[in-house]
Amino acid sequence: MLYLNIHQLHDRKFKITQIARELKVSRPTIYKYLNMTFEESKEYLEELQGKGKKLDPYRDWIIAWLEEYPHLSAAQIRDWLLERYPDLVVGESTVRAYVKELREIYQIEKKVMVRQYEAIPEQPMGKQLQVDWGETKQKTTEKKEIKLYFIAFVLAHSRYKYMEWQDRPFTTRDAIRCHENAFQFYGGYTEEIVYDQDHLITVSENAGQLILTTEFQSYVIERKFKVHLCRKADPESKGMIENVVKYIKGNFADSRVFSNIEDWNKRALQWLQRTGNQNVHQTTKKRPAEVFPVEKQHLQQVSSLLSYESTNVQSITRNVSKDNTIRYKSNRYSVPLGTYIASDNQVFIEVKLSEPQTLLIRKQLDGDVIAEHRISIEKGKLIQNRNHTRDRSKGIEEAKQRLIPHFKNQERAASYLHEICLRYPRYRRDQLAIIQDAIQKEPKWIEAALFKCIQDRLYNANDFRDVVHHLKSSSIESTAKSNRPVLEQVSKGGILVTTRSLETYTSILGGTQ
């Protein structure tokens, strides 16, 4: 059938590209069949079938799947094969080529699943405000590149926009401050505000029951507006603000040169007045600036700025890892030991941009600096202050001080233990533990052992222990000899011969005198 279809279209003066598009086959395949007779094409197919391919045993399954589900990809086909035949070893490219060939031979066109979107009715005035975040990379006046972050607002009815920029990532407190600024810009706020599932404002969405971050929850209660959180993969409910984010990136930020954040925000407001809120909206066919004065009358009145949101604190929050470090721009920076607490492991960081750039870390927002680091331009590094590491020498010194008083000559003992620690820096604790064990078990012999070890330069805890055992064993043996009942010693040829009394032997044999 493929051979006949190609020749029929070619006879109708279709171009090769048109035939390929019509039949969903490659141009080399078309050229190949055009240069064949009908008999040659039959022989070619028979040859292919006789040659055999790795996936031929699964051919019927694959064809059945493709005919029932034409939209399946080669990757899905491979997954289904592996699910049915776990021992099958086949590469992705092999499956892809095989599926492509079957589609061409059997004319199974891959259908694209198109999602159907439903038109959203226009929101009434004062009903809804949509909010989202974005980021861009801008060239600076110093010919460098900097990353900028912004938050965007749009009134759902009039499409009147507002935005605010920062040269650092947003925190929840930053988001609250920008909300207040937006309310002042609009002269009020709406009944509900629509958000994406952003970590700055929400922890999770528990089957419709929103769990907001503590700070943002307090703000929502204070301002008394309704939060509408978009579901994942649901562009319909927040399409307006997504378009605004794209508009800001593609019109205002595109190719604009950055000098400083104050100037950038000033120019952003000018752009909103000149272009963003002045141009005719493609959906409403109205200018947002002309519709907004009417919608403004339907907004809820806003009081003065809330005190705790109005301050622009140049701090970013970070979580402390179990190893008492934080991450900043692909590096790890240390904090004092004990900073990490499972229930409260958040710190505030502040970046000083003056050379050299410095990172300040605080446990509380307005608290004392607990760590200060010079920011590294490298990546993957651990930047660690010495006073943030465990004072391992303190524990060693305490261990030595516990051992020294057991010796009469404490000065000699201190010198001996110090030398051992110098020779075995990685095993200091083990060495001291061995000596401590010897002291506890045989305190009587440690003084003599210390003298012997220093005399023979045996600076090793195992040697000290062995010397203690040797002295004890020698003493026991010597005591046993001295306790034997000796009557006389007769020298014979230089050899001392001990003569026991008769009573000794009779007592052993159980006899009497």
Side-chain angles (χ1 to χ4, degrees):
M1 289 301 298
L2 179 59
Y3 173 86
L4 294 176
N5 287 335
I6 290 175
H7 279 267
Q8 286 176 0
L9 293 175
H10 187 259
D11 292 340
R12 292 167 57 187
K13 307 302 180 184
F14 273 62
K15 295 180 180 180
I16 300 300
T17 304
Q18 292 174 320
I19 298 175
R21 188 182 305 116
E22 180 71 19
L23 299 179
K24 308 297 181 184
V25 295
S26 63
R27 286 181 294 177
T29 300
I30 296 172
Y31 283 118
K32 178 172 62 181
Y33 279 104
L34 286 176
N35 292 327
M36 290 181 183
T37 64
F38 182 72
E39 294 298 329
E40 289 174 339
S41 67
K42 289 178 61 178
E43 292 177 1
Y44 172 72
L45 290 176
E46 290 174 359
E47 182 182 349
L48 286 179
Q49 294 176 354
K51 185 177 180 181
K53 295 185 177 180
K54 188 172 186 176
L55 291 176
D56 281 346
Y58 318 100
R59 183 188 186 95
D60 293 340
W61 277 109
I62 297 174
I63 294 173
W65 290 336
L66 290 174
E67 288 179 342
E68 187 172 358
Y69 309 104
H71 67 278
L72 285 179
S73 66
Q76 289 173 292
I77 293 290
R78 179 175 181 269
D79 179 67
W80 287 16
L81 284 172
L82 294 177
E83 183 179 8
R84 186 172 289 271
Y85 306 100
D87 296 331
L88 176 62
V89 179
V90 62
E92 295 180 5
S93 59
T94 302
V95 178
R96 190 162 50 246
Y98 194 79
V99 170
K100 180 181 179 183
E101 181 182 337
L102 292 182
R103 284 188 183 276
E104 291 182 355
I105 293 174
Y106 291 92
Q107 292 292 279
I108 304 175
E109 181 182 351
K110 184 175 182 179
K111 295 183 179 180
V112 179
M113 302 294 289
V114 179
R115 178 176 177 176
Q116 299 298 323
Y117 293 95
E118 180 181 356
I120 303 297
E122 286 296 318
Q123 294 290 335
M125 292 187 179
K127 174 66 176 179
Q128 188 181 93
L129 178 69
Q130 295 191 6
V131 183
D132 203 359
W133 287 262
E135 58 185 56
T136 63
K137 290 184 178 180
Q138 304 296 143
K139 295 292 183 182
T140 67
T141 53
E142 290 82 16
K143 306 298 182 182
K144 297 180 180 179
E145 191 174 70
I146 188 174
K147 203 169 189 179
L148 298 180
Y149 307 83
F150 68 92
I151 183 172
F153 300 78
V154 62
L155 288 171
H157 180 83
S158 64
R159 308 311 205 265
Y160 202 68
K161 309 165 192 66
Y162 174 74
M163 62 174 159
E164 194 164 333
W165 292 78
Q166 291 187 170
D167 54 4
R168 55 186 173 79
F170 277 82
T171 64
T172 303
R173 188 172 289 266
D174 291 327
I176 294 174
R177 172 179 50 79
C178 291
H179 275 66
E180 288 298 297
N181 292 341
F183 295 163
Q184 294 295 324
F185 177 81
Y186 288 125
Y189 58 95
T190 56
E191 294 180 18
E192 71 174 11
I193 302 180
V194 178
Y195 301 95
D196 200 355
Q197 295 195 22
D198 193 276
H199 69 282
L200 296 177
I201 63 170
T202 180
V203 175
S204 67
E205 182 185 17
N206 185 17
Q209 182 181 5
L210 304 184
I211 303 176
L212 304 179
T213 60
T214 304
E215 201 167 8
F216 197 76
Q217 179 66 47
S218 301
Y219 177 65
V220 171
I221 294 173
E222 183 83 11
R223 279 301 187 203
K224 298 181 177 62
F225 60 81
K226 180 182 177 182
V227 173
H228 177 83
L229 196 65
C230 295
R231 300 180 66 180
K232 293 182 179 179
D234 183 19
E236 296 179 25
S237 55
K238 57 184 176 63
M240 293 180 196
I241 190 62
E242 287 189 345
N243 289 333
V244 170
V245 170
K246 292 178 183 177
Y247 189 29
I248 292 172
K249 289 182 178 181
N251 192 299
F252 170 72
D254 186 29
S255 303
R256 196 178 293 272
V257 179
F258 175 85
S259 57
N260 60 71
I261 195 64
E262 291 77 15
D263 174 72
W264 188 264
N265 272 311
K266 180 181 178 181
R267 292 158 72 186
L269 293 176
Q270 293 173 348
W271 177 85
L272 285 172
Q273 184 178 5
R274 179 181 64 251
T275 302
N277 290 325
Q278 190 62 35
N279 289 352
V280 175
H281 194 273
Q282 293 300 313
T283 301
T284 64
K285 303 302 179 183
K286 298 176 182 178
R287 300 183 190 276
E290 295 176 354
V291 183
F292 171 68
V294 182
E295 184 175 16
K296 183 177 181 180
Q297 301 175 19
H298 295 80
L299 298 178
Q300 300 183 42
Q301 295 298 314
V302 63
S303 60
S304 58
L305 286 173
L306 301 181
S307 59
Y308 70 93
E309 296 90 3
S310 59
T311 56
N312 184 4
V313 181
Q314 299 293 318
S315 292
I316 310 170
T317 58
R318 283 291 188 274
N319 288 331
V320 181
S321 302
K322 291 183 178 180
D323 59 356
N324 286 283
T325 61
I326 65 165
R327 292 188 177 274
Y328 179 73
K329 289 189 175 181
S330 304
N331 287 315
R332 291 185 298 151
Y333 294 85
S334 67
V335 294
L337 288 178
T339 302
Y340 172 80
I341 303 174
S343 59
D344 180 21
N345 67 334
Q346 191 177 74
V347 294
F348 296 86
I349 66 174
E350 179 183 348
V351 179
K352 285 190 175 181
L353 299 178
S354 57
E355 294 295 335
Q357 292 190 2
T358 307
L359 183 68
L360 304 179
I361 306 174
R362 294 180 172 89
K363 187 62 179 174
Q364 303 297 331
L365 185 60
D366 300 321
D368 296 331
V369 175
I370 62 173
E372 182 174 345
H373 297 279
R374 183 171 179 173
I375 296 177
S376 174
I377 60 175
E378 299 181 86
K379 292 185 177 181
K381 298 293 183 180
L382 170 62
I383 294 86
Q384 189 175 45
N385 286 349
R386 287 188 176 181
N387 59 346
H388 292 169
T389 59
R390 183 180 289 107
D391 188 1
R392 293 172 174 81
S393 62
K394 182 178 179 180
I396 297 298
E397 288 300 322
E398 289 179 355
K400 287 197 293 186
Q401 293 304 320
R402 287 196 299 268
L403 298 180
I404 292 174
H406 291 281
F407 296 89
K408 295 180 180 179
N409 192 332
Q410 296 188 8
E411 183 178 352
R412 179 186 296 169
S415 176
Y416 180 73
L417 296 176
H418 178 70
E419 184 65 25
I420 287 180
C421 291
L422 289 179
R423 295 193 181 197
Y424 302 95
R426 291 181 57 191
Y427 303 97
R428 292 176 296 179
R429 293 182 185 277
D430 298 330
Q431 291 278 318
L432 296 177
I434 292 172
I435 294 177
Q436 183 177 11
D437 183 66
I439 292 174
Q440 291 176 349
K441 291 181 177 179
E442 307 296 342
K444 180 179 179 181
W445 310 105
I446 61 174
E447 196 69 33
L450 176 64
F451 178 80
K452 180 66 174 176
C453 286
I454 294 178
Q455 184 181 39
D456 295 343
R457 304 187 64 81
L458 301 176
Y459 292 101
N460 185 293
N462 293 313
D463 291 337
F464 179 86
R465 179 191 58 198
D466 293 342
V467 170
V468 168
H469 290 166
H470 174 72
L471 292 174
K472 178 183 177 182
S473 301
S474 300
S475 176
I476 293 174
E477 184 178 349
S478 176
T479 303
K481 290 181 178 179
S482 63
N483 289 336
R484 291 170 184 169
V486 179
L487 179 62
E488 60 175 326
Q489 290 183 338
V490 181
S491 177
K492 295 184 179 180
I495 301 175
L496 293 177
V497 179
T498 303
T499 303
R500 300 179 182 272
S501 63
L502 181 60
E503 291 82 357
T504 302
Y505 294 103
T506 56
S507 62
I508 293 174
L509 295 173
T512 58
Q513 294 182 1

